[in-house]
Amino acid sequence: MIKSKSFFCSDCGNSTSKWSGRCEACGAWNSISEQGGLSSGTGKSSLGNKKGAKVKLTNLATDEPSPKRTNSGINELDRVLGGGLVPAMAILVGGDPGIGKSTLLLQAAGSFANNGLETLYISGEEASGQIRMRAKRLGLNEAPVRLGAETNLRNILTTMAEEKPNLVIIDSIQTIWADTVESAPGSVSQVRAAAHELTNFGKRNGISVVLVGHVTKDGQIAGPRVIEHMVDTVLYFEGERGHQFRILRAVKNRFGPADEIGVFEMTGKGLSEVANPSALFLSERGKPSPGSIVFAGIEGTRPLLVELQALVAPTPHSQPRRAVIGWDNARLAMILAVLESRCNIPFTGHDVYLNVAGGMKISEPAADLAVATAILSALYNISLPAHTVVYGEISLSGAVRPVNQAENRLKEARKLGFSKAIAPRHEKQIDVKDIAVAKTDDLMSFVLDVFEGK
Ligand code: TYD
Ligand code: MG
């Protein structure tokens, strides 16, 4: 009889077929143990020669109605979820410590409870008294949410089985521990086991489960990435500590579109929705100044205008600095290289800094032309005319490429009072009234037109 066993490292999660004293992947000592089959309760994952039961197979065609969604009433949250909460949906909400996850989820718990869902809020981080105080501050103390302070997985599962709620929020998954797993709470194996049990229990019993996960930088405790594959929806709550704006971003959603964002503002009374994010992101912008330009972006299904700021400063160091906040470092290096080699603009001897205002993170390649414009405007110390937006992708050859949803970008720009756009040449004629589009298909001619020609 062939027995296949699996061992895995409780520190890094690497799995092997045999035990050893030291993990080959991360080098930790005494961290390898045999994987316990938690759900089966046998403690072994060996298949042996026992025969399995045949899986029940069905057809794709169905006349089942699509699942009934419940709205929280917080529009920014409902949209990111794909139009409300689906029964038995498993959601992971990740984010830096202190960014506002507990605040968001307490508000969500209150709203869902007010809309008729039996809601449990289990905190492993704060005492119930503390949460009640926060609820009072958020004006939620009348909401029928049931609170619990617990870290033991077994107790939580029993509570779920007896209370039969519609929604359980676990804050945070890194504090929960399963007594069947030997390593410390927060380790990869604990976080995985707890997330697996909770989501499975939720699926079997029709309970939606929200897991809060802290993003960790030092790797002492396991980050939420290790459980992303187990859940239906992964939301990240982003923002800069010094700013009041917070972005809830769907990076995975089995029940709706990914890439959708919800914008919130952290106030003294918790998070409030931002219905017009472009206006908010541009609200801090003063007069046009060198290095500052407005990018007409798209986030999910919505257009969003954000300010990009660049600074180009001479440096005596042989290795100049390139620092980016809110955009991709590698992409900045690429833009600089294209400007250097295709347009003969040297950046050696210059530090380059790029910042996306308001704590927003942009991942669209459509920001390329906007970044190049900001950098050139900073380098030549020229401010772009007010009421101008920029978008477009730049290729390595120096060509400026068309991007998607150009019409939506221009409409949003016009709505906010912008009258001019610097944009790629589109094959299709875009007709947006009252906005003059300076079209460009080549970075070199763009540089000459916009800067040297003036
Ligand atoms: P919290 O939700 O505890 O963060 P997380 O759960 O992600 O660790 O939020 C922490 C911060 O939010 C804290 O610094 C205070 C701030 N805050 C407000 O500004 N207003 C509020 O109404 C609340 C409840 C928190
Ligand atoms: Mg918290």
Side-chain angles (χ1 to χ4, degrees):
M1 186 176 90
I2 303 163
K3 265 198 161 182
S4 69
K5 283 185 176 176
S6 88
F7 294 85
F8 84 132
C9 170
S10 59
D11 278 14
C12 72
N14 184 45
S15 67
T16 55
S17 59
K18 64 178 198 310
W19 187 88
S20 79
R22 185 164 187 256
C23 173
E24 280 174 11
C26 70
W29 289 95
N30 285 333
S31 60
I32 308 244
S33 56
E34 193 178 341
Q35 188 158 16
L38 259 173
S39 311
S40 63
T42 61
K44 291 236 165 78
S45 56
S46 104
L47 287 170
N49 57 359
K50 223 162 86 184
K51 190 165 180 275
K54 184 177 176 290
V55 176
K56 190 172 158 251
L57 303 171
T58 58
N59 294 332
L60 282 177
T62 175
D63 40 15
E64 267 175 49
S66 52
K68 198 175 146 285
R69 291 182 183 257
T70 310
N71 280 335
S72 64
I74 306 175
N75 288 332
E76 295 294 301
L77 174 66
D78 292 335
R79 195 186 44 251
V80 172
L81 288 175
L85 190 76
V86 175
M89 187 174 188
I91 303 168
L92 169 68
V93 179
D96 287 328
I99 205 72
K101 300 181 294 300
S102 303
T103 309
L104 174 73
L105 288 170
L106 192 58
Q107 287 181 253
S111 310
F112 280 121
N114 282 333
N115 285 356
L117 292 190
E118 292 275 336
T119 306
L120 290 190
Y121 186 98
I122 309 282
S123 178
E125 301 193 337
E126 292 164 291
S128 299
Q130 254 176 306
I131 301 169
R132 275 196 294 271
M133 264 164 54
R134 179 181 301 197
K136 195 168 167 198
R137 186 164 149 198
L138 301 174
L140 289 169
N141 40 346
E142 299 293 320
V145 178
R146 311 275 291 148
L147 281 186
E150 182 58 73
T151 55
N152 183 316
L153 178 63
R154 207 177 280 276
N155 295 348
I156 294 172
L157 292 174
T158 306
T159 312
M160 283 165 74
E162 288 185 9
E163 291 279 324
K164 300 190 176 55
N166 304 109
L167 169 65
V168 175
I169 295 169
I170 308 285
D171 186 7
S172 67
I173 190 69
Q174 281 116 338
T175 57
I176 308 300
W177 61 282
D179 50 23
T180 45
V181 181
E182 270 172 22
S183 53
S187 64
V188 172
S189 41
Q190 281 286 7
V191 167
R192 272 200 194 153
H196 177 75
E197 288 295 313
L198 286 163
T199 49
N200 258 10
F201 190 87
K203 290 274 170 225
R204 283 201 307 271
N205 297 282
I207 304 172
S208 304
V209 176
V210 178
L211 305 174
V212 175
H214 292 291
V215 170
T216 58
K217 298 228 161 59
D218 56 4
Q220 282 293 311
I221 53 174
R225 299 232 108 176
V226 299
I227 50 170
E228 278 186 355
H229 64 284
M230 287 183 204
V231 294
D232 301 311
T233 301
V234 178
L235 309 179
Y236 275 94
F237 205 38
E238 306 167 344
E240 295 290 326
R241 282 289 178 83
H243 287 283
Q244 72 272 39
F245 316 131
R246 299 285 182 272
I247 312 279
L248 185 66
R249 188 186 295 275
V251 294
K252 161 181 170 179
N253 197 351
R254 286 185 188 143
F255 297 109
D259 283 338
E260 196 63 81
I261 65 162
V263 184
F264 296 89
E265 189 177 3
M266 183 60 100
T267 68
K269 285 190 175 148
L271 292 154
S272 66
E273 294 181 67
V274 175
N276 190 347
S278 297
L280 182 84
F281 279 113
L282 296 181
S283 63
E284 288 176 354
R285 210 167 68 104
K287 281 209 194 97
S289 57
S292 150
I293 61 115
V294 177
F295 163 55
I298 297 278
E299 289 291 337
T301 50
R302 278 193 306 181
L304 184 68
L305 303 190
V306 278
E307 181 192 351
L308 302 186
Q309 302 158 349
L311 176 68
V312 180
T315 174
H317 300 295
S318 58
Q319 280 214 325
R321 283 200 69 170
R322 274 84 177 91
V324 186
I325 300 174
W327 206 50
D328 186 18
N329 239 317
R331 200 109 196 149
L332 174 68
M334 191 197 95
I335 301 289
L336 292 177
V338 174
L339 285 171
E340 281 208 31
S341 57
R342 306 287 173 207
C343 311
N344 287 324
I345 300 168
F347 286 97
T348 37
H350 285 99
D351 287 339
V352 179
Y353 300 91
L354 182 76
N355 179 35
V356 181
M360 180 72 198
K361 287 196 178 83
I362 300 177
S363 53
E364 265 193 296
D368 290 353
L369 191 65
V371 170
T373 313
I375 291 170
L376 295 171
S377 148
L379 178 70
Y380 294 139
N381 208 23
I382 310 169
S383 17
L384 214 64
H387 307 303
T388 304
V389 296
V390 189
Y391 65 84
E393 188 177 341
I394 295 175
S395 75
L396 288 180
S397 64
V400 177
R401 292 219 185 117
V403 297
N404 63 350
Q405 303 203 42
E407 209 155 329
N408 278 342
R409 294 173 202 267
L410 293 173
K411 270 189 191 145
E412 178 80 355
R414 195 194 48 181
K415 213 167 77 189
L416 283 139
F418 289 84
S419 52
K420 192 161 182 256
I422 301 173
R425 203 174 294 278
H426 285 261
E427 277 163 23
K428 207 177 86 192
Q429 191 58 39
I430 300 166
D431 183 28
V432 180
K433 264 205 319 224
D434 307 332
I435 189 155
V437 187
K439 289 181 182 142
T440 182
D441 46 18
D442 166 40
L443 197 55
M444 187 70 206
S445 63
F446 159 73
V447 172
L448 294 174
D449 284 359
V450 179
F451 295 100
E452 296 179 356
K454 253 198 310 189

